[in-house]
Amino acid sequence: MDVMPLLLLVAGSAAIAAAGRRVPVPAPLLLVAAGLAVSYVPGVPDYALDPHIVLPLLLPPLLYTAATDSSYLDLRAQARPVALLSVGYVLFATFVVGCAAYLIVPGLPLTAALVLGAVVAPPDAVAATAVARRVGLPSRITTILQGESLVNDATAITAFKVALAAAVGEGATWAGGIGEFLIAAVGGVGVGLVLMVPLHWLRTHLTEALLQNTLSLLIPFVAYAVAEQVHASGVLAVVVVALYLGHRAWEVDFATRLQEEAVWKMVAFVLESAVFALIGLQLPVVLKGLGEYEGIDAAWYALAVFLVVAVARFVWVYPATFLPRLSARVRAREGDLSWKGPFVIGWAGMRGVVSLAIAFSIPLTVHGGEPFPERNLILFLTFTTVIGTLVVQGVSLPPLIRLLKFPAHDVQAETLAEANAQAQASRAAELHLDELLADERNALPAPLADRLRMVLERRRNAVWERLGQVNPVTGETVDDTYRRLSREMISAEREVFVRLRDGRYIDDEMLRTLLRRLDLEEAAAYRETT
């Protein structure tokens, strides 16, 4: 097996992504453009997407890292819009794009057109997350886009299987399609619910951070494989497990969290960079065998399908946003809503590598050995739709958001909330310290006890001298006692932060910021006394 093309792909895409951080153009677009340019360099091998690699090997870790960075509480609060987009919109887009392609492209069977509709229906999790991070969207819009992109792949893959069964002559009915969707959805969620608790228990009971992080890298693949083995949705299984583990991440050892954050940032960076570069590199593969549709006809079909995809999203988003608000309960719960948020959600429908991977999984032949109708054209239209949404919508989204002038984050309110949370946690930790110091087993020299209290007031410490005395009651050195009490105080603060998060006084993003600060301090305390 020649690994050089893979090494060149990873190294080249990482270098371009790193360069993208220094220029105003979003890195995903640079990677796609570089892939398109490199695909025509003599000697560059064909990087044909293999769905047997992309779906089970690339999709699970990308979904996992996106889901663990999401907020379960925020997603639950936005369950209605997320469900309407991730399920309702995908099915709507499948039907609308399929019917439009059937009418636009002469000779394209309706079943094959619906296959195309299912392929290009789901906005991509990687693209949505990358753009949301870059442009700083309001938190509600970001939550909706992330939630949609986490779940919609499962809907699209199921719709694709139903449309494909009809196209290859296996027969498919509405009842059968609905049944398959329900089995995949319920089964995927069920597998996730079954796996999440034992996996979390295993994470919290492994004694070494290295082992815990090895398990963390395996979890998305295990969840996906188990679900697919029982013909359920691997996508939903990964998302359910990841949301639970992300929500309970505070229960894992601090060293694990610090290592895990670094490891998954690296994994996400490498995979996202390679994925966007792969999209651009598909052009020569897609153009091969286009046959009778080469030239101006293919370009017109591509433009028409792209426009249908873009317009159909707005046709769905605005009614799905405002019709539920005819209910007084919904209006009271969600407050006033302008047209700006739905407009951004409608425009932020970038497609990505999942659509291409699904398209490449279309078989070459149908029953009877006949070629699959217009397979190469479907690949071409999928590719042009992905490129069109990434370039047109991806480039225009940041200036569009600036033009709409969304309210800026209330930094003062966020700072006040963080300071209040820190004050409550520090008071709880100080009370806990007083209780611990009252026990003779925790005896400490006064300077070290004062230092523990000072840490609660100011979390910036100089180097302190430590005494190497041994506690006659416990046999602990002063260093051991200091480290243990420091961890006890930090644990008390951590519990308060989590309680405030669960009570919705602070959000998950603030919780992660506060926990990371404590993790670093705990790591520093451990390092200073070893």
Side-chain angles (χ1 to χ4, degrees):
M1 179 179 177
D2 188 3
V3 299
M4 186 56 67
L6 178 61
L7 294 177
L8 290 174
L9 171 65
V10 173
S13 57
I16 295 169
R21 295 169 179 258
R22 302 176 180 273
V23 297
V25 180
L29 300 181
L30 279 180
L31 287 162
V32 172
L36 288 170
V38 171
S39 67
Y40 281 99
V41 174
V44 173
D46 288 342
Y47 287 88
L49 279 176
D50 185 348
H52 299 294
I53 294 177
V54 173
L55 294 180
L57 294 183
L58 293 185
L59 187 57
L62 291 173
L63 286 171
Y64 182 83
T65 187
T68 51
D69 282 342
S70 301
S71 167
Y72 161 73
L73 295 175
D74 288 344
L75 287 175
R76 188 177 66 181
Q78 304 298 334
R80 178 181 56 79
V82 167
L84 286 172
L85 285 171
S86 59
V87 179
Y89 165 70
V90 171
L91 297 177
F92 173 77
T94 298
F95 178 77
V96 170
V97 175
C99 291
Y102 171 69
L103 296 174
I104 293 169
V105 181
L108 182 65
L110 179 59
T111 52
L114 289 173
V115 168
L116 171 64
V119 166
V120 300
D124 186 60
V126 180
T129 304
V131 172
R133 285 199 302 259
R134 177 92 181 193
V135 301
L137 290 170
S139 58
R140 182 177 183 272
I141 298 177
T142 302
T143 298
I144 292 173
L145 289 175
Q146 288 180 333
E148 175 199 8
S149 63
L150 290 174
V151 180
N152 62 7
D153 290 336
T155 308
I157 291 172
T158 305
F160 169 76
K161 290 178 179 178
V162 174
L164 186 64
V168 299
E170 294 181 355
T173 63
W174 285 105
I178 294 173
E180 183 173 351
F181 174 78
L182 291 177
I183 291 173
V186 174
V189 172
V191 170
L193 292 174
V194 169
L195 292 178
M196 66 184 191
V197 174
L199 286 174
H200 178 65
W201 181 90
L202 187 58
R203 288 184 78 206
T204 56
H205 285 76
L206 289 174
T207 56
E208 295 184 21
L210 184 61
L211 293 176
Q212 291 171 325
N213 278 281
T214 302
L215 174 64
S216 176
L217 290 173
L218 293 175
I219 284 173
F221 302 106
V222 170
Y224 188 92
V226 170
E228 292 294 322
Q229 191 68 29
V230 297
H231 305 290
S233 171
V235 170
L236 291 179
V238 172
V239 170
V240 169
V241 170
L243 285 175
Y244 180 81
L245 296 182
H247 190 67
R248 305 296 293 270
W250 64 276
E251 298 178 3
V252 181
D253 183 74
F254 78 94
T256 298
R257 279 194 301 275
L258 292 174
Q259 289 186 18
E260 189 175 63
E261 182 181 5
V263 167
W264 276 108
K265 278 187 175 180
M266 181 272 295
V267 170
F269 173 75
V270 171
L271 292 184
E272 289 179 8
S273 302
V275 159
F276 285 114
L278 272 173
I279 292 174
L281 288 166
Q282 298 311 297
L283 182 58
V285 180
V286 169
L287 291 179
K288 286 181 180 179
L290 197 53
E292 63 181 289
Y293 291 106
E294 290 181 352
I296 192 66
D297 287 342
W300 280 116
Y301 299 153
L303 177 61
V305 170
F306 166 74
L307 292 175
V308 170
V309 168
V311 173
R313 187 163 173 88
F314 285 99
V315 172
W316 176 267
V317 165
Y318 272 96
T321 300
F322 289 103
L323 286 180
R325 295 177 63 78
L326 296 176
S327 166
R329 286 184 57 188
V330 174
R331 291 197 303 273
R333 184 173 64 249
E334 297 183 356
D336 294 332
L337 184 65
S338 73
W339 60 273
K340 295 180 180 180
F343 189 86
V344 169
I345 292 173
W347 193 242
M350 286 75 69
R351 271 58 175 176
V353 72
V354 172
S355 291
L356 282 172
I358 298 174
F360 274 98
S361 69
I362 298 173
L364 295 174
T365 60
V366 298
H367 282 182
E370 294 293 326
F372 189 96
E374 314 304 346
R375 180 181 187 272
N376 291 321
L377 178 63
I378 293 175
L379 289 177
F380 174 75
L381 295 177
T382 302
F383 178 81
T384 54
T385 300
V386 170
I387 295 295
T389 57
L390 285 174
V391 173
V392 176
Q393 295 173 326
V395 169
S396 61
L397 189 59
L400 174 65
I401 292 173
R402 289 192 292 269
L403 180 65
L404 293 177
K405 296 181 179 179
F406 282 95
H409 289 287
D410 191 338
V411 178
Q412 184 176 1
E414 291 179 355
T415 304
L416 180 61
E418 182 178 351
N420 205 336
Q422 182 67 64
Q424 293 184 49
S426 296
R427 284 196 296 270
E430 190 169 10
L431 291 174
H432 191 54
L433 176 62
D434 291 339
E435 294 174 359
L436 291 169
L437 291 177
D439 190 333
E440 63 179 2
R441 293 175 299 178
N442 298 325
L444 275 179
L448 289 178
D450 291 341
R451 179 185 174 185
L452 286 174
R453 292 190 175 90
M454 290 176 63
V455 167
L456 296 174
E457 298 297 327
R458 295 176 181 266
R459 292 202 167 273
R460 292 176 299 181
N461 298 308
V463 178
W464 289 75
E465 293 182 0
R466 298 181 179 274
L467 300 175
Q469 300 175 353
V470 176
N471 189 317
V473 178
T474 63
E476 290 181 330
T477 65
V478 172
D479 289 348
D480 292 335
T481 304
Y482 176 86
R483 182 168 62 246
R484 178 165 55 83
L485 298 188
S486 177
R487 286 179 170 178
E488 290 278 357
M489 285 196 312
I490 290 174
S491 178
E493 290 186 82
R494 189 176 290 126
E495 291 176 4
V496 173
F497 291 146
V498 173
R499 188 167 65 247
L500 291 171
R501 187 278 308 272
D502 291 343
R504 306 309 304 275
Y505 183 78
I506 60 176
D507 58 21
D508 280 78
E509 184 175 357
M510 185 177 294
L511 174 69
R512 282 191 285 268
T513 299
L514 294 168
L515 289 183
R516 177 168 175 77
R517 187 180 302 162
L518 291 179
D519 290 341
L520 291 171
E521 289 169 2
E522 189 172 357
Y526 182 84
R527 184 174 61 250
E528 289 172 359
T529 56
T530 56

